[in-house]
Amino acid sequence: MRKKISSFNNPFIKNLLLLQKKSKLRKSQEEFVIEGLQEISYAQKAAYEFSQVLVCLDLFDSALDLEKFDCGITEISLDVFEKLAYRSSTGGLIAIAKPKDLRIENLRLSSKTPLIMIAEAPEKPGNIGALLRTADAAKLDAVIIANPKTDLYNPNIIRSSVGTVFTNSIGTGTTSEIIDFLKNNNIKIYAAALQDSSSYLAEGFKEATAIVVGTEHQGLSEEWRINADKIIKIPMEGQVDSLNVSVSAAILIFEAKRQRQLS
């Protein structure tokens, strides 16, 4: 028989609310919350392990067989679901999952000429989500976050990425660790920066390539510029000299994809 919860004061529900808000708690409990049928389906396909699935039968209208989840299923009332959920259009489903170890040493590349996007120290969940959506759209071989400032299992990242945090192959590490990883795998580094740079349109990205972007305000650290094979920029004709990081990454990534599709 399924467990049923209809009270906000249930200790399990109180813990879930804290789990959504506190990165330290997610790390200590080694659990995070996924909201939404699509996002949960992506995590399931990516072989994430679920510890609990919560369903609100008042909203759940899917052919998905809940019994296929190898974990406990708990029915929650509409009131409890609305307390937990950020959105109303998530199919009445919430899951608690176990995180994966995203350290760079665990990243495996299947292509001999991978195309990788690297973002140094992104902080805003919306930007990270947009970067992950771009990576998924381009079907990149990997996304690497250098010096991460934000927990990638933050509900805001899961939501803004529309679940592509689960569809991408992701690695994290320090800038030094990632540069070593790229050099050990003979991957060329194209660092996006304004100083001493050439137009990205003058470069070729058909070999093993890592395109590295920094934040709008800080840009890339000197370590990336020193170790880059090429420093590239997007020529701009207006008053501003920078674009949103996710926009810049998309322009560079899809030029690399265009070149590769021509070969």
Side-chain angles (χ1 to χ4, degrees), residues 125-232:
N127 280 343
I128 297 170
L131 288 166
L132 292 169
R133 291 174 73 173
T134 295
D136 177 87
K139 205 172 182 181
L140 296 186
D141 294 283
V143 178
I144 301 176
I145 307 296
N147 307 330
K149 302 291 185 186
T150 305
D151 171 11
L152 285 174
Y153 295 113
N154 182 316
N156 292 324
I157 291 178
I158 297 173
R159 186 164 55 254
S160 64
S161 76
V162 294
T164 57
V165 68
F166 307 120
T167 64
N168 284 292
S169 180
I170 299 176
T172 63
T174 65
T175 288
S176 297
E177 289 169 343
I178 294 166
I179 288 170
D180 287 344
F181 173 85
L182 297 174
K183 290 185 174 181
N184 289 338
N185 286 279
N186 298 312
I187 298 169
K188 284 192 172 182
I189 299 172
Y190 292 85
L194 292 175
Q195 301 83 5
D196 303 317
S197 56
S198 59
S199 170
Y200 77 104
L201 293 169
E203 303 300 333
F205 303 105
K206 293 182 180 179
E207 299 179 41
T209 295
I211 292 175
V212 192
V213 294
T215 62
E216 287 174 66
H217 300 297
Q218 299 295 325
L220 286 175
S221 64
E222 185 66 18
E223 192 171 1
W224 280 112
R225 291 194 284 268
I226 291 171
N227 285 281
D229 293 281
K230 290 280 186 176
I231 300 176
I232 57 175

